[in-house]
Amino acid sequence: MAGQFKSAFAIGVSTIALGIAVPAAAQDSAAGAEAAADATVDQGIGEIIVTSQRREENLQDVPISVSAFTGEQILARGTTDIGRLEGLVPGFTFGRSGQDARPSIRGVRTENVGVNGDTTIGFFIDGVYQSRAAQATQGFVDIERLEVQRGPQGTLYGRNTFGGNIAITTAQPKLGETLAGLDVTVGQYGRFRTDAFVNLPVSDTLAVRVAGSFERSDGWVENVNPLGNNLFDDKSEFIRGTLLWEPNDRFSAAIKVEHASRGGAGGSAFGYKIIGSYFDVGSRQQLYNATPVRNLNTRGGNRDGVNDALPGSSVATSDLGIPIFAPGDGYRIDTDQPTILDLENTALTANLAYDFGGVTLRSITGYTDFGAVRTSDSDFSGNQIAIDYQNTEAKTFSQELQLLSSDSTSRLQWVLGAYYFHDELRGVFINQQLPRIIRNVTPNLNLAQNGAGFYDEQRATTESIAFYGQATYELADGLRVTGGLRWTEDTKDFAFANANAILPTSGTPPVPQGSAITLATGPVPASAFGVKGAQTNCTYTSFPPPRAGFQCLAANTTVLTGATYDTAKFRKATWRLAVDYDVTPDNLLYASVSTGFRSGGFNSGQGPAALQPTFDPEEVTAYEVGSKNRFAGDTVQLNLSAFYNRYNSLQEQRQVPQGSTTLSIIENSGKARAYGAEAEALWRPVPGLEIGANLAYLNAKYTEYDQVPAPFGTSILVNDASVTAPTIVNGVQIAAAGQRRVFAPGYSCGLIPGTGGTGQAAAAFGCDISGNRIPHSPQWTGAVFASYEIDLGSLGKLTPFAIMNFSSSFFGQPFNSILERQESFQKLDLRLTYAPSENISVQAFVNNVTDERTINRFVWGGGGALQASYAPPRQWGALLSVRF
């Protein structure tokens, strides 16, 4: 290991050892203080039960890095979605584009949210995996517990828990109790939300619980254009019904049905604000990482007939794009196309368990029908140029069987499981080019549309089976060893099609008219997708050549309509080895090594994506040492961990030009690693006062990642009369006489081997970005918080709460250029709760008091324009809670 890692690892181990030694010594020297603390029951830190090892255990007894929150804590801290976990969970950062959640943990981030890929951080509701990133942005309603497990969970949870898990447990019906609750929130941007639940006993063995929510709010991104609309408004409804049947002490069955819908404008599809681009000033060409230009929107078709000057140059001889509206202001836009969000999610879950005496059999069944339609103004401007449409559909079924030991007195605790998963996915992306109206000049320019539109429909099916087992054996009092193994086989099918099969044609031979593509185009016929393994009818000669399963127009076999790829299988055994030791009943020390993987998949074979039709699985080996501690009469809690993760073939998303838009593809990087340390501390020095903090250090970098094309403009040609002969590299001419090829400054770039030669793809250029930081991996993150419950006697209780979370800078893309950098920040949230009784409380809150304006998603789009999504600005509101 590198010397830097050895130092960090030594610091982490020393810190953990100190975390054990100091409290252990303190327990001996402060026995009197502990006795006094024990007399004050309310002063101690309560237990949280978690299911991180697929059984109910005290959080402090689980030898895994887990952060957990009860339903009461979730409500008190205003955690209405997983984005609010940033700062509460060490090392957790949250990104978002539109309705897609993009969390990051320990150098693993959620990048690909298309139907051709899987999540990297698992999202579970009541033990059922949710396959789409947008499912994680739904509001939390009537939650019993929330757990965030950091690091790969490949043994007990499977292939799509590469970076960790986010697991929600909803509130279950209670037998023999009549309960109800109502929460009403009002706030800035016209926000009005109600959450309610009712728990009804039907008999001694049967109970039902119904929960729901209703929310309306205006968008917090203001659109100054009357033709458009504000972004991030909220028009959502949610309903859940759960039936619990416990006919005896051995059997229980919980059946749950829920439906969620969300409408309004949404948050655009991939981003909504243009940051800028890069230009080579002398040649006035776009060149990655050259001179940053933050005031021009260079998307395709954004030309207003006005010549623009570049920074450092007084020459304004060419039209480089329209001005960006309110550059740098992430909360004001000028777009003329009203955006739409239409999200529906229906789920059915059945959790059954039977205790045979010493052994429990559990069944977890889940079915989800999910759909989301999103549109966005493709040109990010008040000009009429283009609009994008995205539709994602998923029908998901999963069945898991578990056999668990249930004798808590036995030295051997074990779990065996079998898992089946079936996911039917459909994704449609459409770019419609419109007759252009350039409104930022007077008089307005009326121009023809900017070429053809684009249509891509992808159909993917995943079928996965897995078998797993994990056992923990107590070798001696307090000393336990754990071993786990999981075998997984993923079977994936993939097909894609474009609109060529249904577009009007002209000419001889007939050529489809892409200019006729609209948001209403489709559906394409099944014949457009071709047949798996069938001989292709395609005769086009571009690279790569047509292959089995590819389908072209019968009237013009040089025109591709789609293809069905051969079935791919991905098999992997993942494992975990661990040891943990109770130094004292309140101090746990553990060490583990585990593995995880995420399946490979397919890229749509249109245009440049055909050069890389498939991508490989990514793998991780993770080492961790940690400690969990309670001392001073359960008034102090300190949990520590240090880790080293080694990654292979990380799946990276890249945008490639495709006509007037861009196409997202996935490629594999070489190798990467991440190491760091995390700490969570909680202190209750006197009754009512709680002080806490968490801190995370992360060093996450690519160790091997070369031949990577820049997002745009990897190289350009400039005139240079001093060059009197062509420039030849590996037998390939990369510049003619009188020209010079200039590569993206600051990087080691060159010709990608195997391109540019006879019978090969056109010359392509790439760079070596080994050593760059993995995106969305700040070196330092953390939070400090405090609350104090003030007893007002007969008037009730008053509880102020404050939390300040912070982050060092990070990059949003692998090339780590200046435009992709989010600077360090601090955010402060304040809450004040008044409870006149145990059943009623009123809370006033201000989130992001400091009004920090941070970017949580960067992506390079068409025309070499960097687009971004921002985190919410300062927001205030009030919450009334009533319990019956």
Side-chain angles (χ1 to χ4, degrees):
M1 297 180 182
Q4 189 178 14
F5 166 65
K6 290 181 178 179
S7 299
F9 193 78
I11 292 171
V13 173
S14 300
T15 302
I16 290 168
L18 180 63
I20 294 174
V22 172
Q27 287 174 349
D28 294 335
S29 63
E34 288 187 23
D38 289 339
T40 309
V41 177
D42 291 341
Q43 184 177 341
I45 300 170
E47 291 186 353
I48 298 180
I49 301 301
V50 297
T51 56
S52 303
Q53 297 191 113
R54 310 312 295 264
R55 63 175 71 246
E56 292 188 347
E57 299 172 286
N58 180 7
L59 171 66
Q60 292 303 105
D61 295 333
V62 177
I64 300 174
S65 294
V66 184
S67 298
F69 308 92
T70 65
E72 292 78 7
Q73 291 172 326
I74 290 170
L75 180 64
R77 299 178 182 184
T79 310
T80 54
D81 59 49
I82 66 172
R84 296 284 300 159
L85 294 176
E86 198 167 44
L88 296 175
V89 177
F92 177 91
T93 61
F94 180 74
R96 176 173 176 166
S97 60
Q99 294 304 309
D100 293 319
R102 298 178 182 271
S104 301
I105 299 176
R106 294 183 176 180
V108 174
R109 71 195 192 282
T110 304
E111 188 65 12
N112 178 22
V113 297
V115 302
N116 65 330
D118 303 314
T119 61
T120 54
I121 295 170
F123 183 63
F124 293 81
I125 300 177
D126 292 328
V128 176
Y129 169 69
Q130 312 294 302
S131 70
R132 297 297 95 200
Q135 291 172 302
T137 59
Q138 298 304 293
F140 295 177
V141 180
D142 197 26
I143 301 301
E144 179 178 308
R145 184 177 65 254
L146 171 67
E147 303 172 40
V148 180
Q149 302 156 21
R150 303 188 296 279
Q153 309 293 319
T155 301
L156 293 180
Y157 288 90
R159 73 202 207 295
N160 292 335
T161 58
F162 191 76
N165 279 348
I166 301 170
I168 289 176
T169 301
T170 62
Q172 298 299 295
K174 297 184 183 297
L175 297 175
E177 296 186 55
T178 301
L179 304 168
L182 175 67
D183 300 320
V184 179
T185 303
V186 295
Q188 196 173 7
Y189 303 107
R191 186 183 184 195
F192 176 80
R193 172 173 173 144
T194 60
D195 291 55
F197 74 88
V198 60
N199 188 100
L200 298 173
V202 180
S203 68
D204 292 341
T205 62
L206 191 67
V208 64
R209 191 179 186 106
V210 178
S213 70
F214 173 92
E215 182 161 1
R216 292 291 184 271
S217 67
D218 302 327
W220 42 263
V221 174
E222 178 192 6
N223 192 347
V224 301
N225 195 316
L227 298 176
N229 47 16
N230 294 349
L231 301 182
F232 292 105
D233 61 344
D234 202 328
K235 295 181 179 179
S236 61
E237 294 92 28
F238 176 86
I239 185 72
R240 177 200 304 130
T242 308
L243 180 71
L244 176 66
W245 182 42
E246 292 186 353
N248 52 52
D249 293 339
R250 292 182 178 270
F251 178 74
S252 68
I255 311 298
K256 181 187 70 176
V257 179
E258 64 182 34
H259 177 77
S261 66
R262 191 163 190 170
S268 191
F270 306 109
Y272 65 83
K273 188 74 178 185
I274 294 294
I275 301 299
S277 190
Y278 294 107
F279 280 85
D280 177 70
V281 175
S283 65
R284 303 182 65 77
Q285 298 180 65
Q286 285 183 282
L287 177 64
Y288 189 81
N289 206 41
T291 300
V293 179
R294 300 177 183 269
N295 63 341
L296 288 180
N297 182 338
T298 57
R299 296 280 290 182
N302 275 332
R303 300 297 181 264
D304 55 10
V306 177
N307 291 333
D308 303 292
L310 291 171
S313 173
S314 59
V315 178
T317 59
S318 53
D319 181 2
L320 301 176
I322 67 171
I324 295 174
F325 174 77
D329 185 348
Y331 305 113
R332 295 178 69 228
I333 59 174
D334 176 11
T335 57
D336 67 311
Q337 297 293 333
T339 58
I340 296 171
L341 170 67
D342 184 5
L343 185 151
E344 300 279 341
N345 190 73
T346 301
L348 171 66
T349 303
N351 278 270
L352 313 179
Y354 190 87
D355 188 350
F356 290 93
V359 176
T360 297
L361 176 64
R362 180 178 296 151
S363 169
I364 305 172
T365 307
Y367 174 77
T368 301
D369 187 348
F370 170 82
V373 171
R374 290 156 282 186
T375 67
S376 60
D377 190 325
S378 179
D379 52 273
F380 299 83
S381 76
N383 299 323
Q384 177 179 290
I385 298 173
I387 188 168
D388 287 341
Y389 167 96
Q390 185 183 24
N391 179 27
T392 304
E393 300 173 5
K395 290 180 171 55
T396 309
F397 173 80
S398 65
Q399 175 61 57
E400 185 166 8
L401 295 174
Q402 298 174 354
L403 200 62
L404 305 94
S405 60
S406 56
D407 181 3
S408 60
T409 63
S410 173
R411 286 185 175 269
L412 178 65
Q413 300 293 319
W414 52 269
V415 56
L416 298 173
Y419 182 72
Y420 174 79
F421 174 82
H422 185 86
D423 210 12
E424 294 279 352
L425 301 168
R426 176 175 178 262
V428 177
F429 174 73
I430 302 174
N431 170 258
Q432 179 183 351
Q433 294 293 313
L434 303 168
R436 285 179 288 170
I437 304 175
I438 309 300
R439 301 187 176 100
N440 62 283
V441 292
T442 303
N444 294 346
L445 294 180
N446 291 278
L447 306 172
Q449 69 182 59
N450 184 42
F454 181 76
Y455 182 103
D456 181 43
E457 178 173 345
Q458 301 181 13
R459 298 178 180 178
T461 301
T462 297
E463 188 171 69
S464 179
I465 58 172
F467 302 94
Y468 64 89
Q470 181 169 296
T472 299
Y473 184 73
E474 190 171 17
L475 297 173
D477 289 347
L479 178 63
R480 294 166 293 272
V481 293
T482 298
L485 179 67
R486 186 184 190 105
W487 180 84
T488 302
E489 179 183 87
D490 284 356
T491 302
K492 291 191 172 185
D493 288 289
F494 182 81
F496 73 89
N498 55 46
N500 285 341
I502 57 174
L503 288 174
T505 60
S506 65
T508 304
V511 178
Q513 299 304 294
S515 58
I517 290 176
T518 72
L519 299 192
T521 296
V524 298
S527 59
F529 291 86
V531 178
K532 180 171 59 178
Q535 183 176 353
T536 180
N537 72 328
C538 299
T539 59
Y540 62 84
T541 58
S542 59
F543 186 90
R547 49 190 180 272
F550 273 52
Q551 181 70 30
C552 287
L553 280 177
N556 185 354
T557 55
T558 66
V559 176
L560 181 70
T561 65
T564 298
Y565 289 3
D566 291 339
T567 298
K569 289 184 180 292
F570 304 95
R571 301 180 179 92
K572 186 67 177 179
T574 50
W575 49 267
R576 172 181 169 82
L577 294 174
V579 59
D580 63 277
Y581 178 59
D582 293 324
V583 180
T584 76
D586 294 323
N587 305 108
L588 173 70
L589 180 67
Y590 67 90
S592 70
V593 56
S594 60
T595 63
F597 94 110
R598 184 165 68 133
S599 291
F602 307 91
N603 285 315
S604 177
Q606 301 193 44
L611 296 173
Q612 194 163 318
T614 62
F615 53 89
D616 296 328
E618 57 183 8
E619 301 177 357
V620 58
T621 302
Y623 306 88
E624 181 172 341
V625 294
S627 176
K628 295 189 173 183
N629 306 280
R630 286 278 185 92
F631 46 91
D634 277 345
T635 62
V636 177
Q637 178 172 295
L638 179 63
N639 294 343
L640 306 166
S641 63
F643 62 90
Y644 179 85
N645 292 354
R646 187 175 66 245
Y647 304 114
N648 285 314
S649 301
L650 286 179
Q651 294 169 13
E652 299 291 340
Q653 187 173 29
R654 186 161 63 87
Q655 303 293 323
V656 296
Q658 182 66 48
S660 299
T661 185
T662 54
L663 183 64
S664 174
I665 69 168
I666 304 299
E667 63 182 10
N668 293 98
S669 67
K671 298 179 180 180
R673 60 100 180 105
Y675 62 80
E678 299 161 347
E680 292 180 279
L682 190 62
W683 182 31
R684 292 187 176 174
V686 296
L689 176 61
E690 180 175 276
I691 301 172
N694 68 69
L695 179 66
Y697 170 77
L698 174 64
N699 189 307
K701 292 184 178 181
Y702 300 103
T703 54
E704 293 182 18
Y705 196 10
D706 59 4
Q707 300 180 19
V708 187
F712 70 94
T714 306
S715 69
I716 59 173
L717 290 170
V718 299
N719 294 326
D720 188 344
S722 66
V723 180
T724 58
T727 304
I728 308 296
V729 175
N730 296 332
V732 176
Q733 179 177 310
I734 67 169
Q739 290 184 317
R740 176 167 45 89
R741 185 164 292 276
V742 178
F743 292 98
Y747 303 98
S748 175
C749 306
L751 178 72
I752 295 178
T755 66
T758 303
Q760 298 173 340
F765 303 92
C767 308
D768 187 345
I769 57 174
S770 303
N772 280 14
R773 289 164 58 181
I774 296 175
H776 294 277
S777 298
Q779 285 194 319
W780 294 99
T781 55
V784 292
F785 60 89
S787 67
Y788 184 55
E789 186 178 273
I790 304 170
D791 191 344
L792 302 177
S794 61
L795 296 178
K797 296 178 180 179
L798 186 67
T799 306
F801 173 82
I803 180 170
M804 191 275 288
N805 68 287
F806 57 88
S807 172
S808 60
S809 63
F810 61 85
F811 291 101
Q813 288 289 305
F815 269 75
N816 292 184
S817 73
I818 188 63
L819 288 181
E820 304 158 352
R821 180 184 174 98
Q822 168 59 55
E823 298 297 339
S824 61
F825 62 85
Q826 303 83 38
K827 294 184 180 182
L828 174 67
D829 291 355
L830 297 176
R831 316 185 86 81
L832 181 65
T833 303
Y834 171 62
S837 70
E838 292 184 356
N839 297 327
I840 301 176
S841 67
V842 179
Q843 181 185 105
F845 62 85
V846 182
N847 297 331
N848 191 10
V849 174
T850 49
D851 201 23
E852 288 282 349
R853 305 195 167 197
T854 59
I855 298 174
N856 56 21
R857 168 69 173 165
F858 298 84
V859 63
W860 287 100
L866 182 64
Q867 56 201 58
S869 292
Y870 283 71
R874 178 172 52 225
Q875 296 185 18
W876 52 262
L879 167 67
L880 169 66
S881 294
V882 181
R883 296 294 180 264
F884 304 94

